[in-house]
Amino acid sequence: MIEFLNNIDSSIMLALNGAGGAFWDQFMYTFSGKWIWVPMYATLLFILFRSFEWKIATVYALAIILTIVICDQLCASHLRPLVGRLRPSNPDNPLSQFIHIVKGYRGGAHGFPSCHAANSFGLATILSFIIARKRFVIFIMSWATLNSYSRIYLGVHYPGDILVGAAIGFTAGFLMYRIARVVARRIAERDLKPSRPVMGHLNISGMTMSLRVSDVMLGAALITAVYITSIAI
């Protein structure tokens, strides 16, 4: 049964992996980077502390950090050594001779489950509950999906690695949100402050801009995406 599932995973991997040309090679390689999205993460803190009372914002910020830590450590430090599944790009994997490799990047030895997918969907899940606006949820889930697919494109993860990583991320994000929500409610009841976000419009120097606070993160992500595209062209 395991061999059957592995064969299916390998077939899907070969169908989805790379070979999209120089533009997509550079785009996916850059999109998959850890530091390229720092501006978007920074605006996340702005959104939290602009939309919540500072104590509640701190609770949610810590919950987000813990979500990422749990996902990353569970996948990288515990499950990968236990399962020991070679990445498709690993030279010791017979499949590697058929894998499209970008810029010589092959990742580490093992790749099950995907930390990228777990971290991305963990962040996307908890944010979807905290900032429950339809446009924002569509954006952050699309970002997590593309970020995860980039790992298949680059040849460093099987689709199965991505699916399991995404499931871990969703579970961790949901559980941490529920815990943070309980803590936030208790703080709100004690301090008589609203525990739900106030997604108002920006007010700078007395001038109210017709831009919701939640859209600031979308703007930062869009600018980053344009920058990535400009590098890839």
Side-chain angles (χ1 to χ4, degrees), residues 43-49 51-52 60 64 123-138 140 177 196-199 212-215 217-218:
T43 59
L44 167 60
L45 291 177
F46 168 77
I47 290 173
L48 288 178
F49 285 91
S51 304
F52 294 96
Y60 283 128
I64 292 171
L123 176 64
T125 298
I126 191 169
L127 287 180
S128 293
F129 284 110
I130 295 175
I131 308 173
R133 302 188 66 83
K134 183 178 180 180
R135 181 165 56 181
F136 181 84
V137 172
I138 292 174
I140 199 64
Y177 169 75
R196 292 189 175 278
V198 181
M199 307 304 290
R212 291 187 178 278
V213 176
S214 59
D215 292 336
M217 188 169 178
L218 275 69

Side-chain angles (χ1 to χ4, degrees), residues 57-97:
T58 301
V59 168
Y60 283 128
L62 290 175
I64 292 171
I65 293 172
L66 285 174
T67 297
I68 302 301
V69 171
I70 290 171
C71 289
D72 198 66
Q73 290 303 306
L74 179 60
C75 293
S77 301
H78 298 284
L79 294 179
R80 282 186 182 177
L82 179 65
V83 177
R85 188 189 197 190
L86 294 176
R87 292 177 185 267
S89 57
N90 191 304
D92 294 329
N93 187 336
L95 189 69
S96 65
Q97 61 182 311

Side-chain angles (χ1 to χ4, degrees), residues 167-184:
I168 291 173
F170 177 82
T171 302
F174 175 75
L175 292 177
M176 287 308 304
Y177 169 75
R178 297 300 298 176
I179 294 172
R181 183 78 179 120
V182 171
V183 176

